[in-house]
Amino acid sequence: MVGGEADPAMVQMLSPEGELLLHGPYGAYAAELDAEDLRGMYRDMYTIRRFDQEATALQRQGELVMWVPMTGQEGAQIGSGSALQQQDYVFPTYREHGVALTRGLELSSLLRRFRGVSHGGWDPSETNFHLYTLVLAAQVPHAVGYAMGMARDRKIDPQLPEAATVAYFGDGASSEGDVHESMVFAASYDAPVVFFCQNNHWAISVPTEVQSRIPLANRAKGYGFPGIRVDGNDAVAVRAVTSWALEHARSGKGPVLIEAFTYRMSAHTTADDPTKYRLSADEEAWISRDPLIRLEKHLRAAGLADDEFFEALAAEGQAMAEKLRADVLAMSSPGFTDAFTDVYAEAHPLIQEELEFHRRYEAGFADSQEPTA
């Protein structure tokens, strides 16, 4: 307890031993999940971890400029992403690979920017999953503005489906002013937005306790909307809490802050060395809370999946990794003119003038060298 305020209860429904306990105000949402839903969440978590491993290997082999791992955060991402409906819109940071999978993105498209062949990699309008944002918290005001726009569109046309946006950000980004300003606007106008903070304990080398003396979920109280702390390694609990939050936001009741309490098992990026600031004992303590192991224990104990299921999934994962590698190696670099044609949606006379100048400049070197004997 800090300053007289009690810490929020941690919502958990799947114990580290795999025991499922449906209770509290979110239990009814978890109870709606059937065997196929649970197997599907496990399949997505396994797939995205295998993807993460292959992407890391590609970067180490020089095929990607950099990579942003997310191992350990599969429960938070697949749990929340699977709660979304088609009309909802996601504003990610640069680590939401699992959410991208739930939105139907081709995984190789996530690597185009990290391969250095694209500034984006996909068309957000096709999946309602926005482009990755590398500037910390810059996507959060966009999420609120988009949510306010959706709410106004629905006032004009009530036939439009109820929808919400989700702004993903980390515990480090929560210290940015963009997040504060966004929450002020969202609260003031009851914007249908869910703020989803993945508290993975580290903002590169800065631990969470240096940035906040209270649980991050408590910050919602200052803005006057609900804040929920959920076990981010419990995919079932995250799915249930996010389903409630999205329903709350879509129905016009305003924003919600979710703090998914998880742990980044890997480095911040492949340019980072966590051994410089993190104890190996801390990493080992989180292994038993691995979101994949936890859900696998439940599936096996409840008789919802057997060895054949997991063996088939391993084969699927390997096939996916091989295709991913082939797709990345086949990516072609953009042409020189793309730097000019991709600036504006329509042709711009000044840009065209500069392009023609550079074409003439390059052409001047074509026959400048004398042949050597």
Side-chain angles (χ1 to χ4, degrees), residues 345-360:
E346 299 177 359
H348 191 288
L350 292 179
I351 298 296
Q352 291 299 113
E353 181 180 334
E354 291 179 355
L355 175 57
E356 291 305 317
F357 171 82
H358 278 279
R359 282 174 172 165
R360 293 193 301 271

PDB file of all heavy atoms in Angstrom, residues 345-360:
ATOM      1  N   ALA A 345       0.848  10.626 -51.779  1.00  0.00           N
ATOM      2  CA  ALA A 345      -0.114   9.689 -52.352  1.00  0.00           C
ATOM      3  C   ALA A 345      -0.288   9.936 -53.847  1.00  0.00           C
ATOM      4  O   ALA A 345      -0.495   9.000 -54.624  1.00  0.00           O
ATOM      5  CB  ALA A 345      -1.464   9.803 -51.637  1.00  0.00           C
ATOM      6  N   GLU A 346      -0.212  11.193 -54.244  1.00  0.00           N
ATOM      7  CA  GLU A 346      -0.325  11.556 -55.653  1.00  0.00           C
ATOM      8  C   GLU A 346       0.954  12.277 -56.097  1.00  0.00           C
ATOM      9  O   GLU A 346       1.694  12.809 -55.269  1.00  0.00           O
ATOM     10  CB  GLU A 346      -1.555  12.458 -55.878  1.00  0.00           C
ATOM     11  CG  GLU A 346      -2.870  11.787 -55.509  1.00  0.00           C
ATOM     12  CD  GLU A 346      -4.054  12.716 -55.677  1.00  0.00           C
ATOM     13  OE1 GLU A 346      -3.828  13.885 -56.065  1.00  0.00           O
ATOM     14  OE2 GLU A 346      -5.185  12.282 -55.415  1.00  0.00           O
ATOM     15  N   ALA A 347       1.186  12.279 -57.402  1.00  0.00           N
ATOM     16  CA  ALA A 347       2.399  12.895 -57.933  1.00  0.00           C
ATOM     17  C   ALA A 347       2.481  14.368 -57.533  1.00  0.00           C
ATOM     18  O   ALA A 347       1.496  15.106 -57.587  1.00  0.00           O
ATOM     19  CB  ALA A 347       2.429  12.757 -59.455  1.00  0.00           C
ATOM     20  N   HIS A 348       3.674  14.791 -57.117  1.00  0.00           N
ATOM     21  CA  HIS A 348       3.906  16.168 -56.692  1.00  0.00           C
ATOM     22  C   HIS A 348       4.923  16.790 -57.641  1.00  0.00           C
ATOM     23  O   HIS A 348       5.998  16.221 -57.871  1.00  0.00           O
ATOM     24  CB  HIS A 348       4.428  16.191 -55.257  1.00  0.00           C
ATOM     25  CG  HIS A 348       4.463  17.540 -54.633  1.00  0.00           C
ATOM     26  ND1 HIS A 348       5.368  18.505 -54.997  1.00  0.00           N
ATOM     27  CD2 HIS A 348       3.685  18.103 -53.666  1.00  0.00           C
ATOM     28  CE1 HIS A 348       5.175  19.589 -54.287  1.00  0.00           C
ATOM     29  NE2 HIS A 348       4.155  19.376 -53.470  1.00  0.00           N
ATOM     30  N   PRO A 349       4.643  17.959 -58.224  1.00  0.00           N
ATOM     31  CA  PRO A 349       5.540  18.525 -59.246  1.00  0.00           C
ATOM     32  C   PRO A 349       6.962  18.773 -58.760  1.00  0.00           C
ATOM     33  O   PRO A 349       7.921  18.529 -59.488  1.00  0.00           O
ATOM     34  CB  PRO A 349       4.842  19.829 -59.643  1.00  0.00           C
ATOM     35  CG  PRO A 349       3.886  20.126 -58.530  1.00  0.00           C
ATOM     36  CD  PRO A 349       3.454  18.802 -58.022  1.00  0.00           C
ATOM     37  N   LEU A 350       7.140  19.224 -57.538  1.00  0.00           N
ATOM     38  CA  LEU A 350       8.488  19.483 -57.036  1.00  0.00           C
ATOM     39  C   LEU A 350       9.266  18.176 -56.840  1.00  0.00           C
ATOM     40  O   LEU A 350      10.471  18.116 -57.116  1.00  0.00           O
ATOM     41  CB  LEU A 350       8.421  20.266 -55.725  1.00  0.00           C
ATOM     42  CG  LEU A 350       7.915  21.707 -55.823  1.00  0.00           C
ATOM     43  CD1 LEU A 350       7.882  22.351 -54.434  1.00  0.00           C
ATOM     44  CD2 LEU A 350       8.793  22.520 -56.764  1.00  0.00           C
ATOM     45  N   ILE A 351       8.569  17.160 -56.361  1.00  0.00           N
ATOM     46  CA  ILE A 351       9.220  15.858 -56.189  1.00  0.00           C
ATOM     47  C   ILE A 351       9.609  15.296 -57.555  1.00  0.00           C
ATOM     48  O   ILE A 351      10.702  14.735 -57.735  1.00  0.00           O
ATOM     49  CB  ILE A 351       8.296  14.882 -55.436  1.00  0.00           C
ATOM     50  CG1 ILE A 351       7.995  15.402 -54.027  1.00  0.00           C
ATOM     51  CG2 ILE A 351       8.930  13.496 -55.365  1.00  0.00           C
ATOM     52  CD1 ILE A 351       9.208  15.497 -53.133  1.00  0.00           C
ATOM     53  N   GLN A 352       8.718  15.433 -58.529  1.00  0.00           N
ATOM     54  CA  GLN A 352       9.021  14.957 -59.872  1.00  0.00           C
ATOM     55  C   GLN A 352      10.215  15.707 -60.457  1.00  0.00           C
ATOM     56  O   GLN A 352      11.069  15.119 -61.139  1.00  0.00           O
ATOM     57  CB  GLN A 352       7.801  15.147 -60.784  1.00  0.00           C
ATOM     58  CG  GLN A 352       6.618  14.243 -60.456  1.00  0.00           C
ATOM     59  CD  GLN A 352       6.980  12.777 -60.590  1.00  0.00           C
ATOM     60  OE1 GLN A 352       7.020  12.043 -59.615  1.00  0.00           O
ATOM     61  NE2 GLN A 352       7.273  12.354 -61.814  1.00  0.00           N
ATOM     62  N   GLU A 353      10.301  16.989 -60.193  1.00  0.00           N
ATOM     63  CA  GLU A 353      11.424  17.786 -60.681  1.00  0.00           C
ATOM     64  C   GLU A 353      12.743  17.291 -60.073  1.00  0.00           C
ATOM     65  O   GLU A 353      13.758  17.171 -60.772  1.00  0.00           O
ATOM     66  CB  GLU A 353      11.193  19.252 -60.316  1.00  0.00           C
ATOM     67  CG  GLU A 353      12.287  20.199 -60.798  1.00  0.00           C
ATOM     68  CD  GLU A 353      12.013  21.636 -60.403  1.00  0.00           C
ATOM     69  OE1 GLU A 353      10.825  21.987 -60.218  1.00  0.00           O
ATOM     70  OE2 GLU A 353      12.995  22.402 -60.280  1.00  0.00           O
ATOM     71  N   GLU A 354      12.731  17.003 -58.788  1.00  0.00           N
ATOM     72  CA  GLU A 354      13.937  16.492 -58.134  1.00  0.00           C
ATOM     73  C   GLU A 354      14.324  15.117 -58.679  1.00  0.00           C
ATOM     74  O   GLU A 354      15.516  14.818 -58.847  1.00  0.00           O
ATOM     75  CB  GLU A 354      13.711  16.410 -56.621  1.00  0.00           C
ATOM     76  CG  GLU A 354      13.598  17.767 -55.946  1.00  0.00           C
ATOM     77  CD  GLU A 354      13.358  17.653 -54.458  1.00  0.00           C
ATOM     78  OE1 GLU A 354      13.190  16.506 -53.981  1.00  0.00           O
ATOM     79  OE2 GLU A 354      13.351  18.680 -53.766  1.00  0.00           O
ATOM     80  N   LEU A 355      13.319  14.277 -58.935  1.00  0.00           N
ATOM     81  CA  LEU A 355      13.592  12.956 -59.484  1.00  0.00           C
ATOM     82  C   LEU A 355      14.265  13.063 -60.851  1.00  0.00           C
ATOM     83  O   LEU A 355      15.251  12.360 -61.131  1.00  0.00           O
ATOM     84  CB  LEU A 355      12.293  12.152 -59.586  1.00  0.00           C
ATOM     85  CG  LEU A 355      12.392  10.779 -60.259  1.00  0.00           C
ATOM     86  CD1 LEU A 355      13.410   9.896 -59.547  1.00  0.00           C
ATOM     87  CD2 LEU A 355      11.025  10.108 -60.296  1.00  0.00           C
ATOM     88  N   GLU A 356      13.752  13.934 -61.686  1.00  0.00           N
ATOM     89  CA  GLU A 356      14.337  14.098 -63.013  1.00  0.00           C
ATOM     90  C   GLU A 356      15.767  14.636 -62.913  1.00  0.00           C
ATOM     91  O   GLU A 356      16.654  14.242 -63.693  1.00  0.00           O
ATOM     92  CB  GLU A 356      13.475  15.044 -63.857  1.00  0.00           C
ATOM     93  CG  GLU A 356      12.122  14.467 -64.251  1.00  0.00           C
ATOM     94  CD  GLU A 356      12.267  13.135 -64.971  1.00  0.00           C
ATOM     95  OE1 GLU A 356      13.173  13.027 -65.838  1.00  0.00           O
ATOM     96  OE2 GLU A 356      11.505  12.208 -64.671  1.00  0.00           O
ATOM     97  N   PHE A 357      16.003  15.533 -61.973  1.00  0.00           N
ATOM     98  CA  PHE A 357      17.354  16.059 -61.778  1.00  0.00           C
ATOM     99  C   PHE A 357      18.327  14.935 -61.424  1.00  0.00           C
ATOM    100  O   PHE A 357      19.433  14.847 -61.970  1.00  0.00           O
ATOM    101  CB  PHE A 357      17.359  17.113 -60.666  1.00  0.00           C
ATOM    102  CG  PHE A 357      18.743  17.556 -60.254  1.00  0.00           C
ATOM    103  CD1 PHE A 357      19.425  18.526 -60.981  1.00  0.00           C
ATOM    104  CD2 PHE A 357      19.370  16.977 -59.156  1.00  0.00           C
ATOM    105  CE1 PHE A 357      20.705  18.923 -60.611  1.00  0.00           C
ATOM    106  CE2 PHE A 357      20.654  17.370 -58.790  1.00  0.00           C
ATOM    107  CZ  PHE A 357      21.321  18.351 -59.524  1.00  0.00           C
ATOM    108  N   HIS A 358      17.903  14.048 -60.506  1.00  0.00           N
ATOM    109  CA  HIS A 358      18.784  12.956 -60.101  1.00  0.00           C
ATOM    110  C   HIS A 358      18.991  11.944 -61.227  1.00  0.00           C
ATOM    111  O   HIS A 358      20.079  11.367 -61.347  1.00  0.00           O
ATOM    112  CB  HIS A 358      18.208  12.267 -58.855  1.00  0.00           C
ATOM    113  CG  HIS A 358      18.539  12.978 -57.572  1.00  0.00           C
ATOM    114  ND1 HIS A 358      19.753  12.843 -56.934  1.00  0.00           N
ATOM    115  CD2 HIS A 358      17.827  13.854 -56.825  1.00  0.00           C
ATOM    116  CE1 HIS A 358      19.768  13.586 -55.850  1.00  0.00           C
ATOM    117  NE2 HIS A 358      18.610  14.212 -55.749  1.00  0.00           N
ATOM    118  N   ARG A 359      17.978  11.741 -62.037  1.00  0.00           N
ATOM    119  CA  ARG A 359      18.138  10.852 -63.180  1.00  0.00           C
ATOM    120  C   ARG A 359      19.192  11.406 -64.150  1.00  0.00           C
ATOM    121  O   ARG A 359      20.034  10.657 -64.653  1.00  0.00           O
ATOM    122  CB  ARG A 359      16.796  10.659 -63.889  1.00  0.00           C
ATOM    123  CG  ARG A 359      15.872   9.680 -63.184  1.00  0.00           C
ATOM    124  CD  ARG A 359      14.518   9.630 -63.842  1.00  0.00           C
ATOM    125  NE  ARG A 359      13.690   8.556 -63.292  1.00  0.00           N
ATOM    126  CZ  ARG A 359      12.384   8.460 -63.467  1.00  0.00           C
ATOM    127  NH1 ARG A 359      11.736   9.394 -64.166  1.00  0.00           N
ATOM    128  NH2 ARG A 359      11.720   7.459 -62.945  1.00  0.00           N
ATOM    129  N   ARG A 360      19.137  12.708 -64.418  1.00  0.00           N
ATOM    130  CA  ARG A 360      20.135  13.315 -65.301  1.00  0.00           C
ATOM    131  C   ARG A 360      21.525  13.256 -64.664  1.00  0.00           C
ATOM    132  O   ARG A 360      22.528  13.013 -65.341  1.00  0.00           O
ATOM    133  CB  ARG A 360      19.752  14.768 -65.610  1.00  0.00           C
ATOM    134  CG  ARG A 360      18.490  14.927 -66.453  1.00  0.00           C
ATOM    135  CD  ARG A 360      18.361  16.357 -66.981  1.00  0.00           C
ATOM    136  NE  ARG A 360      18.319  17.342 -65.915  1.00  0.00           N
ATOM    137  CZ  ARG A 360      17.198  17.746 -65.326  1.00  0.00           C
ATOM    138  NH1 ARG A 360      16.018  17.237 -65.699  1.00  0.00           N
ATOM    139  NH2 ARG A 360      17.238  18.660 -64.368  1.00  0.00           N
TER     140      ARG A 360
END
